Amino acid sequence: AGGRAGTMMGSNPSMQSPTATLAYKDEGGDGPAVILLAGLQGAGKTTAAGKLALYLKEREVDPVALEGLSEEERSRTLASRLPKRERRVLLAAADVYRPAAIEQLEILGKSIDVDVFSMGSDADPADIAKEAVARAKREGHDTVVVDTAGRQVVDEDLMEELRRVKRTVQPDETLLVVDAMTGQAAASLTASFDSAVGITGAILTKLDGDSRGGAAVSIRGVSGKPIKFVGVGEKVADLEPFYPDRMASRILGMGDVVSLVEKAAAEVSDADAAKMQEKMASAKFDFDDFMTQSKMVSKMGSMAGVAKMLPGMGGMLDNAQMKQVELRIKRSEAMICSMTKKERANPDLLLMDRTARSRLMRITKGSGLAFEDGLAFMSEFQKMRTMISRMSKQAGMGGGAAEETTEMDPALAGGGGNRNARRAAKKKGKKGGGRGGGMGFG
């Protein structure tokens, strides 16, 4: 069977018009699918090679398995929950010029458990690519990703080397790696590579920066070749399939809610989501849940990247403000790590108990922070619980038994006894409401 590119269709918004379809060789084919990466130095080819290998290994949707799903099942399932192809990828280190390029690729390969083939910095890039394909055939790899050298500028030496590698291994895909910060210069760059080497698509990197990605329009318009992936962060998992409609929404500052939902769905299982919803409905949201939510958000990428996906938020907060938000979250996590298991499971010990002040002093000292930082966190946490308590009631989640508490124990802020607060709490209890702390975090 020959090479073929899978297609992903359906009425699901997350499945519309993706261009991240790469050549794949069926079992019994004449060798692995070969993907050649090209581009200028500094565009992020080596990092993109590692990201692409991880994507093909763990996240690429299997179009063959999709054929067994009904149209209704496809429309109801996010792309992150669809069956995966799970390729066996081999990385080939053919950048023999840049210092430590081979070592960088080996480190990336080790971090994602993908084999890396190299012959040292003295070997010819075409020979490296040829031997990598031969090894892939012997060891059963179905895909080879070749990382090639770049130059500061487009020159004939670079193009001739790429042509030699291409003639040697006959790649199924030749992807141009383009820095999104290049702007409209990406148009001439794409034209140069396409005319000299011939490309089948592009990977747009560094979209987590200040650039909105207008280069995407230039690449498509000049070469007529699709952008297949976009890099949205520094982590090896920060590579996404390219969806034209979503990119247009980002460029216009309208966010990308579908991608945000897919990221969340990839990090949280249905069982965990149901468990969290139950806790919110029963007013049992605690500091452990706060930590779980915080870690989930951090896995989705930087705060700046997540904010850009929210409609209207991209231009409201700059990178400096985002860093301040991330710093506050880290401080909150440090304080939670300094709490006892009992305190993490029962926030009222730090909000309403007579020992709240002394507990908070111990926690802030143990986390290396000021007492005022602890007061601020307790106040924010209580506001979070109250806000989601209201949202839960409005949504009919069944949290009506818990009464909202918007005030923190005055003993924490004042320093004297907390007798008045306890009396107020008792009065609330006598009125039949019970003193719930709210149900969640926002």
Side-chain angles (χ1 to χ4, degrees):
R4 62 184 175 83
T7 58
M8 295 183 284
M9 302 293 181
S11 58
N12 186 341
S14 70
M15 300 275 291
Q16 291 176 358
S17 305
T19 57
T21 54
L22 295 178
Y24 179 74
K25 298 289 182 68
D26 293 324
E27 292 184 9
D30 56 355
V34 179
I35 302 171
L36 182 67
L37 300 186
L40 293 182
Q41 199 172 69
K45 288 189 304 301
T46 303
T47 303
K51 291 180 176 181
L52 182 59
L54 180 62
Y55 175 86
L56 297 176
K57 176 188 173 187
E58 296 183 354
R59 295 163 50 207
E60 183 188 27
V61 175
D62 186 356
V64 177
L66 283 183
E67 295 174 1
L69 299 178
S70 66
E71 190 67 26
E72 182 181 359
E73 288 175 319
R74 294 188 197 184
S75 64
R76 293 172 54 188
T77 307
L78 289 169
S80 57
R81 301 285 177 87
L82 290 169
K84 303 301 186 290
R85 176 172 268 160
E86 298 179 350
R87 301 198 198 197
R88 290 198 61 205
V89 184
L90 177 66
L91 287 166
D95 183 355
V96 297
Y97 304 110
R98 182 170 66 85
I102 296 175
E103 289 82 355
Q104 180 187 354
L105 193 63
E106 289 174 342
I107 291 171
L108 283 170
K110 185 177 181 180
S111 69
I112 60 177
D113 195 25
V114 170
D115 292 337
V116 177
F117 177 83
S118 67
M119 295 171 58
S121 58
D122 295 328
D124 183 77
D127 293 337
I128 295 173
K130 181 180 179 180
E131 292 300 321
V133 173
R135 176 178 167 180
K137 288 181 180 180
R138 292 194 305 269
E139 299 183 359
H141 296 277
D142 54 29
T143 305
V144 177
V145 178
V146 182
D147 176 34
T148 64
R151 302 284 193 281
Q152 292 292 337
V153 295
V154 176
D155 58 26
E156 185 56 32
D157 291 338
L158 168 63
M159 297 305 180
E160 179 56 31
E161 181 176 291
L162 287 172
R163 284 192 287 263
R164 285 197 301 108
V165 173
K166 193 170 183 178
R167 286 194 300 268
T168 302
V169 297
Q170 297 293 312
D172 301 275
E173 301 273 1
T174 302
L175 302 181
L176 178 64
V177 181
V178 182
D179 185 346
M181 303 296 288
T182 305
Q184 297 307 309
S188 58
L189 176 66
T190 303
S192 299
F193 273 90
D194 191 37
S195 61
V197 182
I199 63 174
T200 59
I203 298 177
L204 197 61
T205 63
K206 306 179 186 178
L207 267 180
D208 55 321
D210 294 330
S211 173
R212 285 189 175 182
V217 180
S218 301
I219 293 172
R220 178 70 180 185
V222 171
S223 69
K225 304 299 191 302
I227 297 173
K228 300 208 171 189
F229 295 94
V230 290
V232 293
E234 296 180 358
K235 296 179 181 179
V236 73
D238 293 336
L239 186 75
E240 298 178 355
F242 177 74
Y243 292 82
D245 52 342
R246 302 186 194 181
M247 178 57 66
S249 180
R250 290 190 191 187
I251 292 174
L252 295 173
M254 297 166 60
D256 184 0
V257 176
V258 177
S259 292
L260 182 61
V261 171
E262 285 187 353
K263 278 179 172 284
E267 298 298 335
V268 183
S269 66
D270 293 337
D272 290 338
K275 183 179 179 181
M276 187 62 65
Q277 181 176 347
E278 183 180 349
K279 279 204 166 191
M280 292 170 62
S282 58
K284 293 181 180 178
F285 194 90
D286 55 34
F287 289 112
D288 283 325
D289 300 319
F290 181 98
M291 183 73 87
T292 300
Q293 295 276 359
S294 177
K295 289 181 177 179
M296 183 200 73
V297 173
S298 66
K299 287 181 181 179
M300 292 169 59
S302 65
M303 291 296 296
V306 173
K308 284 183 179 180
M309 295 183 184
L310 297 173
M313 285 294 292
M316 291 181 63
L317 299 174
D318 56 28
N319 288 337
Q321 292 173 309
M322 289 297 178
K323 288 181 180 178
Q324 287 296 321
V325 173
E326 292 177 347
L327 179 60
R328 287 169 59 189
I329 292 176
K330 289 181 180 179
R331 287 177 175 174
S332 301
E333 291 176 351
M335 282 185 272
I336 293 174
C337 289
S338 295
M339 297 177 187
T340 64
K341 290 183 178 180
K342 186 176 181 180
E343 289 167 342
R344 289 198 296 267
N346 186 7
D348 284 341
L349 290 176
L350 298 173
L351 296 171
M352 302 299 295
D353 192 77
R354 67 179 66 186
T355 63
R357 184 177 180 83
S358 61
R359 288 176 184 271
L360 190 57
M361 291 180 69
R362 187 200 79 246
I363 290 167
T364 52
K365 185 176 181 179
S367 58
L369 298 170
F371 182 68
E372 289 73 18
D373 293 326
L375 289 175
F377 176 47
M378 292 302 113
S379 177
E380 291 170 357
F381 183 80
Q382 186 68 339
K383 289 176 181 177
M384 291 174 188
R385 300 176 80 190
T386 300
M387 181 178 68
I388 291 194
S389 172
R390 292 171 179 167
M391 292 172 61
S392 301
K393 291 175 182 178
Q394 291 173 0
M397 289 175 61
E403 186 172 326
E404 299 170 5
T405 303
T406 58
E407 295 295 331
M408 186 174 59
D409 188 344
L412 289 178
N418 54 4
R419 186 178 305 164
N420 292 335
R422 292 198 302 274
R423 285 177 176 174
K426 288 181 179 179
K427 288 180 180 180
K428 284 187 177 183
K430 290 178 180 178
K431 290 179 181 179
R435 177 183 45 77
M439 334 170 204
F441 120 91

